[in-house]
Amino acid sequence: MRKPFLSLLLIYAVGYYLDSCASGALNTDGLFKKYELACGKYQLCNSPLSDVFYHDELHRCPPCSCNETCFELNNCCPDVFFGAKYKVFTNFVIGSASDHGSERYDMFEVIAHCPPEASASIRAKCESSMSPKTLIRNPPLTSIATNLSYSNSHCAYCHGERATNLVYWDMGIGKADVPIQINIISPFTQMLKMGEIMQIPFLFTPPQRVGMFVKKMPVKYLVPSTCPDDADPDIAMACKSSYFLPFRLHKNVFCYICNLPKQNSSINSCNYTGHWDVEDSSIKYACSDGGTSPMTHPYKNFYCFLCNTVTNPMSDQSATLFAVKKQNVIHFYDAVFEYEERHSVDWRQKETLELKLKNIEFRNNKMFQQISQTRLEIHEEVLISDGWYVYKDIQIDVRSLVQTKVAMYPDRICNKNLLPFSVRSLVPTNCECNIDCVFRNVCSCCVDTALISAATCLSDAVHYESSLRNEETEIIVIDGCSIKESYLFYFKYKKLCEKDTGMFSSLFVTNGTSTYKNVFCFFCNSPLYRLNTELLHRPFTPIDINIICPKFLHFVYAGSIKDVIELAKSEGCAVFFDTDKATKCRKKDDDGFGVGFGFYSFYEYPEFGEESKTIDVCNSTGNVVHDIDFNIRWACENISDQAFPPIPGFKNEYCLLCNSNGTAQKVNRSCEPSSSNYLKIYKDGCESLPDVSSVSEIAPFKNAFCYACNNLNCLHDHCFPNSSFDVEASDCKSSMGSYFRIRDQFVLSTYSPSVNFYSSPKDEIESETYGCYPGRALIGNTCELLLSEAKFAIYGVDVSLALTVNSTYTNASVTMEKIEQSLGTIFLQHLPENTREFLQFLLLLNKNSSLNLPVESAMNNVHLLVDLYFEVQFMDFDRRSVEAKLLNFPRLIEQTSSLDDGSIEYKIKSLGFSYPADSIKNSMPDAISTLKLKDIMNAYFKLPPDVILVGNLLFCIHQKFNSSLFFFDDENLEIISNQTMRRFKIGEFVLDFGALIGVCMYSDGGDSSTEYLLDGIVVEVKYLPTVFNGISAVCMTSVFISYCYFKILRTPTGVNAIFVSLFLSWFHIVSSLVKLLQHIKLACFVIGLALHYFWLSISCSVCVTACHQFSLFRNTKMEDKELQDTTKWITLIHLIFSLFTPMLIVGLNAILLHVFLSDPFYYSTDKCFLNHNLSYIVTFLSPLILSVIVISLFNGMALKMVITVKGKIIKKKKAQFFILLKFAMFVCMFAILQITEWFVDTSDYTFVIDLMVSTQGCFVFLAFCCSSHVCGWRKNNEDSSSGSDINQTMENKMEVKDTE
């Protein structure tokens, strides 16, 4: 009932500590300062005025609102949200299912703390974790007055809520498949045990009445919304709260902050990076003098970040696409981009973060700045002549290489200016001149275009981690310049392209077709212009960057994309590009690639036709004796295999040339008029083009033009050797890469209660002696269903019937079979609508009635008694409705029916329910129906049977007994008490899961107020205190009347007894009402006030009495007349100290409780007495203890004087003194017992104390009746028939001392 005294002292001792760290006393000022250091002052609605100015786009924290609607939209700024009462998201789940835990249920916003000014005791009750048993008795609730929800009633009361405004949440079953055992389990504590065994979760959800007012957590994130133990307490409380404004997959930014790794900030000054373009002293001051935030690492705080990045992120044209605010947009000093991410944890608890940087836009001014600040060496400023190409400081004679190609076969040339003028007309441009052809179809590229394309294969991986990514993809990229310019700016971005340095290095870009190693390679392969400090260029798109990390990557305050990549690499992440807009590198085993080029062969390498031996270097065998031209060697060894389609055995034509050793035949270098196909153009080509006679198809001629001039087999003017490009262009088509898609954050679906309990566990009466049929709970004086909406149940009904039969059939068995079938049809009509069929339908003929059955003759007006037992199954039904109809079923059965065209006529009338044991006992023992019913009934001796028997037992209040005290008689289907030999038949008892036997409290279903106890004693133990209080009230009223009526007792000492007896009589009168009215809250409150008052009045009156007695014996010379004069003074003192002082204490206590706790009903309904711990100590325990001390002290001193002082008058005082001394002794004794009850907090001890205190008046009455003073007066009154003066006789008798 109340906490132990030492626990209370401990709570008070640590009260202030609890205030600051566990009671919701959030230090909002400190929290907002930490938030500003992480996010900036513009993210607060009530930030102090300052000169700091910055652009909103530089915020990293989620945008928030200061409007009143922000609570509905879930976008409040922190100072607005935490300005209201502190709330948390939680769910109230008991246990878990086999396939999911409590996190799979909706979380609701509740207040789970008390304000700091609340008492420590109620705060402890509110904020401490509850056991499942306690939780079901004190569930969460919602106030209809404030629309706020609380985790329990203690939290509601300490926030000033009134009990009349509170709506308790429903308790339900959090599992889709509800086991049938749920329907036959009770009480709730037993159900909790069964739920633990069967993994059935129970949960509380807001009822429909208040559901719209209870805020539900919108999304469940996989990132835990908790802080480590060593986190900042303010940040941890803000994270734990219901503040829901998601940031990077966390519930709020505070959850993100407290989970950051602890690192020392390396940048604590302005312009450390050199990218701050505007001086601002206010930002400098905020950076240097402000505190440190872990969120802004590597910067000291948000303001240090501001003064190390661009001042106005929207001033650059590249940022205009992000003018409309988006949720996940980051502005770095080099770029602006969006990001999306996903966090997951697999079955091995392996954590993975997937991050994509997309829609990247490089800042134009930063690209210009990068180019302008690039320094060139002298050799890097080379003017390039026509026909030459410079790649990574190597000068290549493209003219020579093109003419060499034409010397083998005149085709696929774009720039014919590289050829002798005379042969240009014979060289077709049957190819693509744009370097994009490398990405679309390499077979379509012109040779001179391919030579300067600078195409190469690079991995899409910036940093590869095999544990995070299975494989890499190689893509074709351009890493050189195909356009030649002669101005200084060109040489700078050409260097940035080829050297791949600077902040934009190795960040692939694409123009939609081609992919470039970096943006500068794009610039030197397309037109680029300058307009002051702005670059004018064709559109390009940086390729999206993907990052897969083994843990959370805190990148939002990195300075640039390169910083993000470096951070990811240092954290062991896999970093790679999307390749959906890029072209995968072609491999030799790709379909169609490297086939069909069988024109060439080479004398010394016949095996080169095999694909597995492709040669990609010059003089691979070392047998080439002549010098190899540098340009040809470069074209063979340095040009990527992606720029030229390979020929069988060789990387390209140039590799074939530099691996040939010439021919043994004499080379024919002539083209004379006498030649068979002489043309002037052949002659010019034969003379001016290089010698390629080592190619077998051309040998022994110098080149293709010499070959054509001397070709004797020209066909249709086609005199050149066969072309190496006799293949379809489709055979060289390229394939695109893939897109790494970050799937939507996987959110587990939440479970809702499949069914809610009809009865609330908080209303259930807990008792080890009383209960209900399994599946019902004792609520007040009735047994209510736990579940009204049942998924499945089977009911058994046994009724007795009077049957009258007229039949023309001579076979009685046939008649009875037809009647049994007909009864099934009739009964179905009277059962609930969803009854489809009978699981069992057994008709048992009474063995005495069987004698009335005729043998081989018709049945004429035969009267029979039968018992009918049937079982029906229901699914997804309302138990209240179905059970009410089943209970009413016997009253509906009275009907006359006809069968077989009138051959059988019968009339049935129900005689009411029967017990299956009686049905079996009264039927034919060998009948099939009898034997079958007996087998069915044997199941009732086990744990709660699957079949629910309909009868009074199902609805009545049960008395519970231990099954070990009974003998189970299987043969007679009954149980027998081992002590009283009382018998209970099946249908009169039920066995629950706790192995307790339940039987109806009342005999024969009557309304008797007595209970059947196991030992046969008829007594209501719990009402014994009420009985004794009534007796004590009568006794003390008699004492009070005696002192008031008889003048001989109305002495100054008697005045004390009058007041003591008056208060004791009223105390017992009020105490006798506790059990009768404790269920009425207002009545219980009034009774509590009265008991509180009369306890104090009794204590005060006995104290005054003790003090008065002491004063009398100190003044032993006081005469009778003087004693009589003190009566009015002692009466006045009693009125002040015994009547009005307790009234003042109790009144002030009630007023203070009402003012400070907003609820005066601090009187528990189990005893109707003060239940507020501090108030109990101050206004009850302390006065009682003080009274016991004062009474003992003064009575002790008075007793000492009584023993030592002698005299006639003193003898009269002694007799009166001992009466009041006995009064005081009993009052002190029972006061001490009442004091000990507070320290021993058990129900049994409380009952014993209540019982003993209820006899207080009886003991005082006995002390009064047995005192020598009263006995002497009574004896003297009996002898007064002689007419002597009673007063004189009384004086004489008083001299006879019996000091007891």
Side-chain angles (χ1 to χ4, degrees):
M1 184 177 70
R2 287 175 287 272
K3 297 295 181 183
F5 182 69
L6 292 177
S7 299
L8 182 64
L9 291 179
L10 180 61
I11 291 173
Y12 273 103
V14 298
Y16 287 105
Y17 178 76
L18 292 175
D19 281 346
S20 60
C21 49
S23 66
L26 179 64
N27 179 11
T28 53
D29 291 339
L31 177 69
F32 300 155
K33 288 179 181 178
K34 295 163 189 173
Y35 181 79
E36 181 184 349
L37 291 174
C39 303
K41 69 169 188 173
Y42 291 170
Q43 296 287 74
L44 294 171
C45 300
N46 300 308
S47 60
L49 296 176
S50 68
D51 296 331
V52 176
F53 171 78
Y54 58 90
H55 288 267
D56 289 343
E57 289 76 17
L58 292 174
H59 282 146
R60 294 296 188 261
C61 298
C64 61
S65 171
C66 300
N67 297 328
E68 295 180 357
T69 57
C70 69
F71 287 95
E72 299 176 8
L73 301 176
N74 285 325
N75 64 348
C76 291
C77 291
D79 51 345
V80 174
F81 181 85
F82 291 108
K85 292 184 178 181
Y86 179 82
K87 298 176 282 291
V88 297
F89 279 124
T90 186
N91 54 29
F92 299 88
V93 180
I94 301 172
S96 61
S98 58
D99 58 340
H100 63 274
S102 62
E103 71 280 355
R104 293 292 299 278
Y105 296 96
D106 289 325
M107 303 188 77
F108 300 97
E109 184 182 60
V110 298
I111 296 174
H113 77 287
C114 283
E117 62 271 15
S119 67
S121 59
I122 193 171
R123 184 186 307 157
K125 293 178 181 178
C126 164
E127 297 171 4
S128 60
S129 59
M130 291 187 176
S131 65
K133 184 178 179 180
T134 306
L135 177 60
I136 65 174
R137 304 295 179 192
N138 194 0
L141 40 81
T142 300
S143 170
I144 58 175
T146 61
N147 294 339
L148 296 175
S149 297
Y150 301 89
S151 60
N152 55 60
S153 60
H154 303 295
C155 296
Y157 291 145
C158 72
H159 280 276
E161 298 286 359
R162 295 187 177 276
T164 54
N165 295 329
L166 300 177
V167 177
Y168 287 89
W169 290 12
D170 293 333
M171 180 179 175
I173 300 174
K175 190 174 182 180
D177 300 327
V178 180
I180 61 173
Q181 291 89 341
I182 290 294
N183 295 318
I184 50 176
I185 299 177
S186 63
F188 279 99
T189 51
Q190 191 68 40
M191 183 171 288
L192 292 180
K193 294 179 182 178
M194 183 58 64
E196 184 178 352
I197 297 172
M198 302 182 67
Q199 292 188 313
I200 303 171
F202 304 98
L203 67 153
F204 289 92
T205 53
Q208 186 175 5
R209 178 184 175 188
V210 296
M212 66 183 71
F213 305 125
V214 183
K215 181 179 176 183
K216 186 188 299 183
M217 185 171 174
V219 182
K220 286 182 177 293
Y221 287 93
L222 293 180
V223 177
S225 296
T226 57
C227 291
D229 295 337
D230 58 347
D232 180 279
D234 295 327
I235 299 292
M237 281 196 69
C239 169
K240 186 180 178 181
S241 73
S242 59
Y243 182 49
F244 187 84
L245 189 58
F247 178 70
R248 295 207 61 207
L249 306 181
H250 290 75
K251 184 174 71 175
N252 56 50
V253 69
F254 301 105
C255 295
Y256 179 80
I257 291 174
C258 72
N259 283 285
L260 288 167
K262 291 180 170 56
Q263 304 178 76
N264 294 324
S265 300
S266 57
I267 303 176
N268 55 10
S269 61
C270 288
N271 210 20
Y272 177 88
T273 60
H275 294 286
W276 197 32
D277 48 10
V278 175
E279 286 285 329
D280 188 327
S281 59
S282 60
I283 294 181
K284 273 188 174 182
Y285 177 80
C287 169
S288 60
D289 288 12
T292 302
S293 173
M295 180 172 170
T296 58
H297 182 81
Y299 303 98
K300 178 183 176 184
N301 54 47
F302 178 74
Y303 300 104
C304 291
F305 161 73
L306 288 180
C307 63
N308 279 281
T309 189
V310 291
T311 304
N312 183 4
M314 304 306 294
S315 62
D316 191 280
Q317 67 169 8
S318 299
T320 55
L321 292 177
F322 294 90
V324 179
K325 288 186 179 181
K326 296 183 179 180
Q327 183 66 27
N328 295 329
V329 173
I330 296 290
H331 287 264
F332 283 154
Y333 57 71
D334 63 337
V336 56
F337 60 88
E338 289 183 86
Y339 71 91
E340 60 177 315
E341 57 187 334
R342 181 179 185 270
H343 180 271
S344 60
V345 179
D346 64 12
W347 60 274
R348 297 167 297 181
Q349 297 301 306
K350 180 181 178 182
E351 183 181 7
T352 304
L353 177 75
E354 299 172 355
L355 175 68
K356 178 185 286 291
L357 312 186
K358 63 180 184 178
N359 298 333
I360 304 171
E361 294 284 345
F362 295 149
R363 296 195 180 279
N364 192 292
N365 57 352
K366 289 299 178 182
M367 292 187 293
F368 178 87
Q369 182 182 349
Q370 180 80 76
I371 297 173
S372 301
Q373 294 176 353
T374 300
R375 301 182 62 180
L376 297 174
E377 303 295 335
I378 296 177
H379 67 276
E380 293 173 337
E381 300 181 47
V382 179
L383 296 177
I384 305 173
S385 302
D386 291 341
W388 287 81
Y389 170 63
V390 178
Y391 177 71
K392 296 183 179 180
D393 298 334
I394 300 175
Q395 298 187 37
I396 307 300
D397 187 354
V398 177
R399 186 189 304 273
S400 171
L401 291 173
V402 169
Q403 291 182 8
T404 300
K405 167 63 182 74
V406 172
M408 289 189 286
Y409 190 86
D411 70 346
R412 294 191 302 142
I413 302 300
C414 177
N415 185 5
K416 294 183 181 181
N417 292 328
L418 300 175
L419 300 174
F421 180 80
S422 57
V423 301
R424 294 175 184 175
S425 59
L426 282 181
V427 181
T429 306
N430 55 342
C431 57
E432 292 188 48
C433 297
N434 195 305
I435 61 172
D436 291 349
C437 64
V438 175
F439 299 90
R440 290 193 297 268
N441 190 318
V442 67
C443 296
S444 67
C445 288
C446 295
V447 173
D448 51 337
T449 300
L451 288 171
I452 63 173
S453 66
T456 187
C457 268
L458 290 179
S459 171
D460 67 339
V462 180
H463 187 254
Y464 181 71
E465 287 287 342
S466 59
S467 60
L468 299 172
R469 190 170 181 236
N470 295 331
E471 60 181 9
E472 301 178 63
T473 299
E474 290 194 331
I475 59 173
I476 304 173
V477 299
I478 303 296
D479 68 346
C481 299
S482 62
I483 295 179
K484 293 186 296 182
E485 300 289 351
S486 58
Y487 53 90
L488 181 63
F489 197 74
Y490 163 79
F491 290 117
K492 289 186 176 184
Y493 64 75
K494 181 176 184 295
K495 177 180 180 179
L496 290 172
C497 167
E498 295 179 349
K499 302 296 184 182
D500 195 30
T501 59
M503 70 176 71
F504 300 101
S505 63
S506 297
L507 298 179
F508 296 167
V509 302
T510 179
N511 63 358
T513 303
S514 303
T515 304
Y516 301 88
K517 186 175 184 180
N518 55 50
V519 66
F520 305 109
C521 291
F522 170 75
F523 288 159
C524 63
N525 284 281
S526 63
L528 178 68
Y529 306 97
R530 286 185 300 169
L531 182 61
N532 297 324
T533 59
E534 183 179 344
L535 299 177
L536 304 179
H537 54 79
R538 290 180 178 175
F540 70 90
T541 303
I543 294 181
D544 296 346
I545 302 172
N546 304 300
I547 301 174
I548 304 177
C549 291
K551 58 183 178 180
F552 219 85
L553 185 68
H554 306 284
F555 74 94
V556 292
Y557 275 101
S560 64
I561 292 180
K562 297 290 287 185
D563 291 341
V564 176
I565 293 175
E566 291 303 317
L567 175 64
K569 290 165 66 175
S570 68
E571 296 287 348
C573 306
V575 185
F576 56 98
F577 292 95
D578 271 337
T579 57
D580 61 316
K581 298 177 182 177
T583 303
K584 290 199 297 185
C585 291
R586 295 171 289 271
K587 305 297 181 183
K588 64 180 181 179
D589 55 350
D590 289 347
D591 292 342
F593 189 69
V595 299
F597 302 100
F599 158 66
Y600 297 112
S601 61
F602 186 53
Y603 300 123
E604 299 183 18
Y605 301 98
E607 71 278 13
F608 284 173
E610 301 177 21
E611 294 184 17
S612 60
K613 298 181 179 179
T614 299
I615 294 177
D616 56 1
V617 295
C618 291
N619 193 17
S620 62
T621 61
N623 296 327
V624 178
V625 295
H626 61 81
D627 293 333
I628 300 174
D629 180 74
F630 170 80
N631 296 294
I632 292 177
R633 180 185 292 274
W634 179 87
C636 170
E637 297 180 352
N638 293 95
I639 290 181
S640 170
D641 58 358
Q642 304 301 312
F644 285 91
I647 61 176
F650 296 93
K651 179 181 175 181
N652 53 46
E653 293 99 325
Y654 298 104
C655 287
L656 184 147
L657 285 173
C658 67
N659 279 282
S660 63
N661 203 18
T663 176
Q665 302 180 42
K666 182 180 178 180
V667 178
N668 186 344
R669 304 176 182 274
S670 64
C671 179
E672 301 298 335
S674 58
S675 299
S676 57
N677 296 311
Y678 175 79
L679 291 174
K680 179 68 170 59
I681 194 171
Y682 287 163
K683 178 177 176 63
D684 292 342
C686 179
E687 294 175 351
S688 60
L689 293 177
D691 183 352
V692 292
S693 58
S694 59
V695 177
S696 60
E697 292 297 330
I698 296 176
F701 301 98
K702 175 185 176 184
N703 54 47
F705 285 81
C706 296
Y707 179 97
C709 185
N710 295 281
N711 188 358
L712 301 176
N713 301 311
C714 286
L715 297 174
H716 307 292
D717 297 329
H718 181 76
C719 298
F720 290 106
N722 291 329
S723 172
S724 60
F725 277 79
D726 289 339
V727 297
E728 295 292 334
S730 59
D731 292 337
C732 295
K733 283 186 177 180
S734 305
S735 60
M736 306 300 288
S738 60
Y739 178 79
F740 179 74
R741 183 176 301 279
I742 294 185
R743 294 167 292 169
D744 292 336
Q745 186 71 37
F746 181 70
V747 180
L748 296 172
S749 59
T750 57
Y751 289 86
S752 298
S754 55
V755 61
N756 284 326
F757 289 103
Y758 175 71
S759 301
S760 174
K762 74 178 183 63
D763 298 326
E764 183 184 30
I765 297 176
E766 291 186 271
S767 174
E768 297 179 358
T769 307
Y770 308 110
C772 297
Y773 196 94
R776 295 174 181 267
L778 184 56
I779 310 294
N781 296 321
T782 60
C783 286
E784 297 285 357
L785 285 167
L786 269 65
L787 288 173
S788 176
E789 301 174 10
K791 297 292 183 182
F792 175 86
I794 300 174
Y795 289 90
V797 180
D798 193 332
V799 292
S800 294
L801 302 173
L803 179 64
T804 303
V805 183
N806 289 291
S807 174
T808 60
Y809 291 110
T810 57
N811 190 328
S813 298
V814 173
T815 300
M816 295 305 296
E817 288 177 4
K818 289 182 177 291
I819 291 175
E820 183 176 356
Q821 295 173 1
S822 175
L823 287 176
T825 305
I826 294 173
F827 279 21
L828 281 177
Q829 297 174 0
H830 295 289
L831 290 172
E833 297 178 357
N834 51 351
T835 308
R836 298 179 181 273
E837 59 182 356
F838 292 105
L839 300 180
Q840 301 288 344
F841 196 86
L842 304 175
L843 189 65
L844 285 74
L845 181 63
N846 190 288
K847 56 187 176 184
N848 294 326
S849 297
S850 62
L851 300 176
N852 298 333
L853 289 177
V855 179
E856 296 183 357
S857 65
M859 301 174 65
N860 295 318
N861 203 30
V862 177
H863 298 280
L864 302 173
L865 290 176
V866 296
D867 289 297
L868 180 65
Y869 175 82
F870 62 86
E871 293 179 359
V872 286
Q873 172 183 304
F874 298 94
M875 300 182 68
D876 297 319
F877 67 101
D878 183 359
R879 283 192 67 177
R880 289 183 300 165
S881 173
V882 167
E883 291 179 0
K885 292 180 180 179
L886 291 176
L887 186 63
N888 193 48
F889 175 76
R891 302 177 186 176
L892 305 176
I893 305 304
E894 185 172 358
Q895 186 171 340
T896 300
S897 298
S898 177
L899 303 176
D900 294 350
D901 298 328
S903 299
I904 301 175
E905 291 183 355
Y906 67 92
K907 179 181 179 181
I908 58 169
K909 182 178 180 180
S910 173
L911 302 178
F913 287 109
S914 175
Y915 293 113
D918 290 341
S919 299
I920 294 172
K921 182 179 179 180
N922 296 329
S923 63
M924 301 295 293
D926 297 330
I928 296 176
S929 298
T930 304
L931 296 175
K932 190 171 184 180
L933 180 58
K934 190 172 183 178
D935 289 340
I936 294 173
M937 289 300 109
N938 280 325
Y940 280 82
F941 290 105
K942 302 175 183 177
L943 287 178
D946 295 336
V947 180
I948 302 172
L949 276 181
V950 179
N952 185 51
L953 182 70
L954 181 60
F955 302 93
C956 70
I957 297 177
H958 289 190
Q959 187 167 358
K960 298 290 186 178
F961 304 105
N962 195 312
S963 59
S964 63
L965 302 178
F966 285 84
F967 169 72
F968 289 74
D969 186 352
D970 297 353
E971 183 64 28
N972 296 314
L973 300 178
E974 60 186 11
I975 58 175
I976 306 170
S977 170
N978 294 329
Q979 296 180 359
T980 64
M981 302 308 294
R982 184 175 178 186
R983 298 172 179 268
F984 296 95
K985 296 173 288 190
I986 286 180
E988 291 183 316
F989 74 91
V990 66
L991 188 65
D992 64 18
F993 279 103
L996 295 177
I997 290 176
V999 298
C1000 283
M1001 284 175 52
Y1002 310 126
S1003 62
D1004 301 325
D1007 297 325
S1008 173
S1009 61
T1010 59
E1011 303 177 39
Y1012 281 96
L1013 299 181
L1014 187 62
D1015 57 4
I1017 300 176
V1018 182
V1019 63
E1020 180 62 62
V1021 177
K1022 67 180 181 180
Y1023 286 102
L1024 280 178
T1026 303
V1027 174
F1028 281 114
N1029 274 311
I1031 297 173
S1032 294
V1034 173
C1035 291
M1036 292 315 302
T1037 303
S1038 301
V1039 174
F1040 173 77
I1041 294 173
S1042 297
Y1043 272 98
C1044 292
Y1045 184 78
F1046 297 106
K1047 184 178 180 180
I1048 189 66
L1049 298 177
R1050 292 200 302 269
T1051 63
T1053 303
V1055 172
N1056 294 317
I1058 288 174
F1059 278 96
V1060 173
S1061 60
L1062 173 65
F1063 294 131
L1064 277 172
S1065 62
W1066 276 107
F1067 170 80
H1068 287 294
I1069 290 172
V1070 174
S1071 297
S1072 64
L1073 300 176
V1074 172
K1075 289 296 182 184
L1076 302 176
L1077 301 176
Q1078 66 180 4
H1079 62 284
I1080 303 174
K1081 189 169 186 179
L1082 181 59
C1084 191
F1085 169 65
V1086 174
I1087 291 173
L1089 287 176
L1091 287 177
H1092 192 184
Y1093 170 78
F1094 286 120
W1095 260 120
L1096 297 181
S1097 297
I1098 294 168
S1099 302
C1100 291
S1101 63
V1102 177
C1103 282
V1104 172
T1105 300
C1107 294
H1108 183 232
Q1109 293 294 98
F1110 172 75
S1111 66
L1112 289 178
F1113 286 100
R1114 286 191 62 187
N1115 191 356
T1116 58
K1117 297 180 180 181
M1118 187 179 298
E1119 298 296 331
D1120 288 348
K1121 184 177 180 181
E1122 294 175 328
L1123 290 172
Q1124 294 296 331
D1125 293 337
T1126 62
T1127 301
K1128 61 180 181 179
W1129 293 106
I1130 192 63
T1131 301
L1132 180 61
I1133 292 172
H1134 271 293
L1135 290 175
I1136 294 173
F1137 288 100
S1138 303
L1139 187 67
F1140 296 112
T1141 300
M1143 189 180 299
L1144 180 63
I1145 294 173
V1146 174
L1148 284 175
N1149 180 62
I1151 293 172
L1152 290 175
L1153 288 177
H1154 177 70
V1155 171
F1156 291 101
L1157 301 178
S1158 300
D1159 192 351
F1161 294 97
Y1162 272 85
Y1163 292 87
S1164 61
T1165 55
D1166 60 337
K1167 284 197 64 179
C1168 292
F1169 200 73
L1170 191 62
N1171 196 38
H1172 187 271
N1173 287 340
L1174 181 59
S1175 177
Y1176 190 91
I1177 294 173
V1178 175
T1179 66
F1180 183 72
L1181 283 186
S1182 298
L1184 253 64
I1185 294 172
L1186 183 61
S1187 298
V1188 171
I1189 294 173
V1190 171
I1191 294 168
S1192 302
L1193 179 63
F1194 282 94
N1195 275 330
M1197 291 188 294
L1199 181 61
K1200 182 178 180 182
M1201 288 186 288
V1202 167
I1203 296 173
T1204 58
V1205 178
K1206 297 181 180 180
K1208 182 179 179 180
I1209 298 178
I1210 296 301
K1211 292 179 180 180
K1212 299 177 183 180
K1213 295 180 182 178
K1214 286 182 179 180
Q1216 298 175 19
F1217 168 77
F1218 281 110
I1219 294 178
L1220 295 179
L1221 179 62
K1222 293 173 184 178
F1223 283 20
M1225 288 174 57
F1226 286 123
V1227 169
C1228 286
M1229 181 181 69
F1230 289 111
I1232 292 172
L1233 289 175
Q1234 186 64 43
I1235 292 170
T1236 61
E1237 186 264 347
W1238 191 79
F1239 294 91
V1240 184
D1241 189 14
T1242 64
S1243 58
D1244 293 337
Y1245 189 81
T1246 298
F1247 177 79
V1248 171
I1249 296 300
D1250 289 344
L1251 184 61
M1252 294 178 69
V1253 171
S1254 68
T1255 64
Q1256 182 176 198
C1258 299
F1259 284 102
V1260 173
F1261 178 78
L1262 291 174
F1264 168 77
C1265 294
C1266 297
S1267 66
S1268 61
H1269 181 66
V1270 175
C1271 289
W1273 168 75
R1274 190 172 61 248
K1275 184 177 180 181
N1276 185 59
N1277 195 37
E1278 291 174 355
D1279 296 337
S1280 62
S1281 57
S1282 61
S1284 60
D1285 183 53
I1286 296 179
N1287 292 332
Q1288 182 62 40
T1289 304
M1290 200 63 193
E1291 289 179 4
N1292 296 332
K1293 291 296 181 180
M1294 284 299 177
E1295 294 177 3
V1296 182
K1297 176 184 175 298
D1298 181 8
T1299 58
E1300 304 179 357

